[in-house]
């Protein structure tokens, strides 16, 4: 569990910088922030070791033949905790959240894309079949992500600490490195091992990553650059929104008329309350995650911002009790054998 930590202005500027480039060297971040490099390194490691901030490497599922599903599980109250714990340990799950009121949980699951066979069977069937047979599970609803429509690149609530010029300096260095990337794309077992390590620590030392993949450090560095340049790999700052004044998290399912879907999703992308949203299959056309100051702010958002959008025929909300797992792997203290790097 994360220790109680209050983020000051420098912490928030550091978080914003890492959201722009999760593997930027501390020296580059320090130059942009105007503070000593050792101060930036010390701040990051303090927040990382306190389980408050972590950089996670995430893979675009569609680009490697996989699919993401938001799964809502209705289960008996005495089964929720055990199921949450089991799901959190899986490499193919993220965003696991038991719902307030003991009404089950919601999580994201990655499976082979629909229609792709694994071992002669549909790739996603084993997971869902196992889940529905789990004792205490009463109902499972799964919506396949068709297209992320909001929150891509980070929640705006934690990306407002740096000025436009500072952001441009960080992005220029990232784009320069990406422009030098080359070589085949593809996806191999070594890529999967690389992605797994980066999901645990997006700033893991390049030598540690090379050992995990069996590549040289130069090959590993080029491969990361190549995956980033092609949009397969990106980095997300994993931090509790309560540190940014939004302790109330809610999930939202929207029924939207097909003709209004584009207008609604484009509007959601501009709403500061929306941390993430996607067009999905299933009873609801859109699934969203909301970050709010309090319950009154959630009401104001639903009645005003959301209420002003034509084409929404039904909205369902659920409050999150807590987040057991966010992006990437379960947040753990830094391991001695996989130190976070000070460079890319």
């Amino acid at each position: 569990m994360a220790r109680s930590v209050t983020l000051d202005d420098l912490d928030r500027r550091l978080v914003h910088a890492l959201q722009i480039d999760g593997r930027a060297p501390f020296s580059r971040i320090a130059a942009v922030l105007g503070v000593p490099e050792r101060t930036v390194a010390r701040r990051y490691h303090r927040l990382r070791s306190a389980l408050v901030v972590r950089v996670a490497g995430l893979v675009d599922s569609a680009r490697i033949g996989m699919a993401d599903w938001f799964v809502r599980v209705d289960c008996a109250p005495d089964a929720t905790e055990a199921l949450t714990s089991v799901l959190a340990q899986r490499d193919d799950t993220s965003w696991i959240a038991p719902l307030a009121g003991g009404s089950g949980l919601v999580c994201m699951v990655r499976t082979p894309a629909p229609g792709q066979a694994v071992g002669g069977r549909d790739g996603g069937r084993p997971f869902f079949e196992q889940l529905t047979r789990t004792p205490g599970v009463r109902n499972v609803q799964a919506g396949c992500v068709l297209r992320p429509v909001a929150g891509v690149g980070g929640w705006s609530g934690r990306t407002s600490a740096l000025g436009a010029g500072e952001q441009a300096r960080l992005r220029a260095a990232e784009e320069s490195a990406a422009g030098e990337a080359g070589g085949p794309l593809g996806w191999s077992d070594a890529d999967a091992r690389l992605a797994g390590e980066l999901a645990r620590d997006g700033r893991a030392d390049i030598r540690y990553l090379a050992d995990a993949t069996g590549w040289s450090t130069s090959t590993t560095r080029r491969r990361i650059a190549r995956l980033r340049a092609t949009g397969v790999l990106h980095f997300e700052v994993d931090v509790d929104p309560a540190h940014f004044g939004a302790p109330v998290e809610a999930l939202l399912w929207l029924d939207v008329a097909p003709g209004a879907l584009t207008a609604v999703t484009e509007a959601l992308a501009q709403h500061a309350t929306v941390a993430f949203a996607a067009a999905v299959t299933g009873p609801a056309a859109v699934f969203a995650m909301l970050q709010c100051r309090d319950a009154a702010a959630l009401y104001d958002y639903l009645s005003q911002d959301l209420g002003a959008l034509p084409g929404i025929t039904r909205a369902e909300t659920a409050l999150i009790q807590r987040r057991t797992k966010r992006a990437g792997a379960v947040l753990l203290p830094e391991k001695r054998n996989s130190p976070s790097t000070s460079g890319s």
Side-chain angles (χ1 to χ4, degrees):
M1 179 180 295
R3 299 195 293 271
S4 177
V5 173
T6 299
L7 301 186
D8 62 17
D9 180 64
L10 180 56
D11 293 328
R12 293 177 183 231
R13 284 163 56 79
L14 173 57
V15 167
H16 191 173
L18 290 170
Q19 183 61 59
I20 293 173
D21 186 353
R23 287 188 65 83
F26 289 137
S27 58
R28 186 196 307 159
I29 295 175
V32 172
L33 300 187
V35 298
E37 179 182 348
R38 62 182 180 180
T39 298
V40 171
R42 186 168 59 247
R43 286 296 182 104
Y44 176 76
H45 289 301
R46 175 179 66 88
L47 296 172
R48 176 66 165 79
S49 62
L51 306 182
V52 173
V53 171
R54 186 267 304 262
V55 175
L58 305 179
V59 172
D60 185 326
S61 298
R63 294 178 185 268
I64 60 170
M66 304 290 281
D68 290 323
W69 303 76
F70 280 106
V71 183
R72 184 171 185 175
V73 184
D74 177 25
C75 52
D78 58 355
T80 302
E81 192 68 31
L83 180 59
T84 299
S85 179
V86 169
L87 290 175
Q89 300 307 313
R90 295 180 62 109
D91 292 336
D92 55 359
T93 63
S94 59
W95 305 111
I96 301 175
L99 301 178
S103 57
L105 61 89
V106 171
C107 67
M108 175 182 272
V109 176
R110 173 174 293 169
T111 74
Q116 292 200 14
V118 176
R121 307 177 66 192
D122 177 65
R125 283 183 58 190
F127 173 83
F128 292 114
E129 290 176 352
Q130 181 181 3
L131 184 60
T132 56
R133 292 197 300 265
T134 301
V137 171
R138 297 184 291 216
N139 186 47
V140 175
Q141 290 185 342
C144 184
V145 174
L146 302 177
R147 178 182 298 175
V149 295
V152 179
W155 174 47
S156 61
R158 63 170 180 259
T159 55
S160 57
L162 298 180
E166 294 169 318
Q167 295 180 51
R169 288 171 64 189
L170 285 166
R171 289 197 175 94
E174 179 191 8
E175 291 166 0
S176 176
E180 298 173 2
L185 183 56
W187 187 256
S188 66
D189 290 342
D191 286 314
R193 292 193 296 272
L194 174 65
E197 295 299 334
L198 290 173
R200 282 179 271 278
D201 182 2
R203 292 186 63 83
D205 185 82
I206 198 71
R207 291 165 295 185
Y208 177 82
L209 296 174
D211 288 342
T213 59
W215 296 327
S216 66
T217 55
S218 59
T219 297
T220 304
R221 187 176 288 108
R222 286 196 302 270
R223 189 57 176 168
I224 292 174
R226 176 64 170 157
L227 293 173
R228 296 180 74 176
T230 54
V232 175
L233 175 68
H234 70 279
F235 293 90
E236 179 84 12
V237 178
D238 188 357
V239 57
D240 191 330
H243 291 295
F244 291 83
V248 175
E249 296 186 86
L251 303 179
L252 174 68
W253 291 266
L254 297 176
D255 290 1
V256 181
L261 189 57
T262 298
V264 168
T265 56
E266 288 178 348
L268 292 178
Q270 304 303 315
H271 292 175
T273 301
V274 178
F276 177 82
V280 296
T281 63
V286 175
F287 171 83
M289 300 176 179
L290 309 178
Q291 318 283 14
C292 303
R293 181 182 67 255
D294 51 31
L298 174 59
Y299 172 82
D300 290 340
Y301 174 74
L302 296 174
S303 62
Q304 299 173 20
D305 299 73
L306 204 62
L309 300 180
I312 298 176
T313 58
R314 179 177 173 272
E316 180 183 358
T317 57
L319 290 176
I320 292 176
Q321 178 178 315
R322 69 184 187 283
R323 283 290 182 88
T324 304
K325 186 178 184 181
R326 293 182 181 273
V330 174
L331 185 61
L332 297 171
E334 290 183 3
K335 298 183 291 184
R336 291 184 182 275
N337 63 343
S338 61
S340 290
T341 181
S342 60
S344 58

